[in-house]
Amino acid sequence: EFQEANLRVSCLKGARLVGCNLRAAVLAGSDLENADLTGCDLQHANLRGANVVNCVFQDLRTPLHMAQTMDAF
């Protein structure tokens, strides 16, 4: 469980975080390339500026809002 964790600018490239609670976690600027976030709870998570190339966002527990990832695309 990483609820409210500060993972800012972390290298999580290729991480398998299936079903992880990342609610309100700070992932801004993190490298999530090829990470598997299937079934994660990303409600209020900060993904701004994160590298989400080939990141898997399937079956999320809560909707992912574009405001959370706007800088990532």
Side-chain angles (χ1 to χ4, degrees):
E1 180 172 305
F2 290 103
Q3 184 172 340
E4 299 181 20
N6 184 355
L7 299 169
R8 190 171 193 270
V9 195
S10 296
C11 181
L12 298 169
K13 192 172 187 174
R16 188 172 185 275
L17 300 168
V18 175
C20 193
N21 180 355
L22 291 164
R23 185 178 288 226
V26 179
L27 295 159
S30 293
D31 186 358
L32 294 166
E33 185 175 345
N34 297 315
D36 187 353
L37 299 174
T38 300
C40 285
D41 184 350
L42 292 168
Q43 185 173 13
H44 302 295
N46 182 346
L47 296 168
R48 292 184 184 189
N51 177 10
V52 293
V53 173
N54 295 324
C55 192
V56 179
F57 291 106
Q58 293 182 2
D59 302 322
L60 296 178
R61 293 184 196 170
T62 55
L64 186 63
H65 299 283
M66 278 306 293
Q68 291 174 264
T69 60
M70 190 176 301
D71 297 336
F73 300 103

